[in-house]
């Protein structure tokens, strides 16, 4: 009986030692990866680290999370860590990554949005909706891309509302004038991709007004997507005439 107890005790001790050693090895590995992420690496070095992390799979997760959370690491490395976490954990990482869309650093907010897009996450509509109003123009661009590529038609009204967001315009205080930023063209294009029918009337009006001349081409393309009609490819003048006749026909029919 004493021998049996001794054997059980030895086995338990060995199992405990093995578990401690395994935990210590994981800790050492995590620390090693974290050190590597601290350097401002060239592209070749980043590719090398990326391959190493992907090969380690789940063993690298702790280090990736720590890198994402800490501002001690270069932004580009935190960006890479975010994407790698998504690659390794797949959709299971989405709830964690989604929290970074509210991060103080715009780089992390954008990285989170890009990762959610790569993971095909359509359920985070509230997050995308808020990101369309982000203080960073680049983040708003990314949120717009998420909505477009994920075909989130329910957010079409929110995309349309971006046309009235002053932050999407270059404001000249001295001249008391504003100029549309390039994102406005993307907003118009996305409205078409989402086939937001409620925008049809306003767009038919806008394409006839000189003050929207810089986006008339995008408006015409969007109207084609919404209505299923094809405007002439000859000139913008012909396109405007085509949509004018289309609008008149709709009024007559009503």
């Amino acid at each position: 009986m004493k021998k049996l107890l001794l054997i059980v005790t030895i086995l338990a001790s060995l199992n405990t030692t093995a578990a401690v050693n395994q935990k210590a090895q994981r800790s050492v590995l995590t620390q090693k990866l974290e050190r590597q992420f601290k350097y401002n690496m060239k592209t070749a070095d980043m590719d090398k680290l990326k391959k190493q992390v992907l090969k380690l799979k789940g063993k690298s997760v702790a280090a990736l999370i720590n890198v994402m959370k800490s501002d001690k690491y270069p932004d580009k490395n935190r960006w890479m860590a975010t994407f790698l976490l998504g690659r390794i954990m797949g959709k299971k990482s989405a709830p964690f990554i989604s929290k970074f869309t509210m991060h103080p650093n715009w780089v992390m907010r954008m990285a989170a949005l890009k990762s959610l897009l790569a993971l095909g996450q359509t359920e985070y509509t509230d997050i995308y909706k808020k990101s369309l109003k982000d203080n960073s123009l680049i983040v708003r661009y990314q949120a717009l891309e998420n909505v477009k590529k994920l075909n989130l038609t329910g957010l079409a009204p929110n995309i349309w509302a971006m046309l009235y967001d002053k932050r999407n315009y270059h404001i000249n205080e001295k001249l008391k004038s504003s100029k549309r930023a390039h994102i406005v063209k993307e907003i118009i294009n996305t409205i078409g991709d989402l086939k937001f029918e409620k925008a049809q009337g306003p767009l038919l009006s806008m394409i006839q007004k000189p003050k929207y001349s810089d986006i008339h081409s995008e408006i015409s393309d969007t109207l084609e997507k919404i209505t299923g009609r094809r405007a002439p490819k000859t000139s913008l003048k012909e396109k405007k005439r085509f949509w004018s006749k289309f609008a008149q026909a709709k009024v007559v029919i009503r």
Side-chain angles (χ1 to χ4, degrees), residues 239-254:
K239 289 181 180 181
K240 290 172 67 176
R241 183 179 290 119
F242 172 85
W243 292 118
S244 177
K245 290 180 179 179
F246 179 84
Q248 289 173 9
K250 285 182 68 64
V251 172
V252 171
I253 292 171
R254 289 177 183 175

Side-chain angles (χ1 to χ4, degrees), residues 179-240:
K179 182 180 179 182
R180 278 175 277 276
H182 185 268
I183 192 173
V184 173
K185 292 186 177 182
E186 291 301 315
I187 292 169
I188 296 293
N189 288 331
T190 303
I191 288 296
D193 291 327
L194 298 177
K195 293 181 173 57
F196 186 45
E197 293 184 358
K198 289 184 179 180
Q200 181 178 309
L203 291 174
L204 285 170
S205 175
M206 289 165 66
I207 199 170
Q208 302 302 328
K209 295 180 179 179
K211 69 176 182 177
Y212 297 108
S213 59
D214 58 312
I215 54 173
H216 277 170
S217 179
E218 286 75 22
I219 291 174
S220 181
D221 291 343
T222 292
L223 283 170
E224 287 188 6
K225 294 172 185 175
I226 293 174
T227 64
R229 302 293 294 274
R230 292 291 174 264
K233 300 298 180 183
T234 51
S235 67
L236 186 55
K237 184 177 180 180
E238 289 299 319
K239 289 181 180 181
K240 290 172 67 176

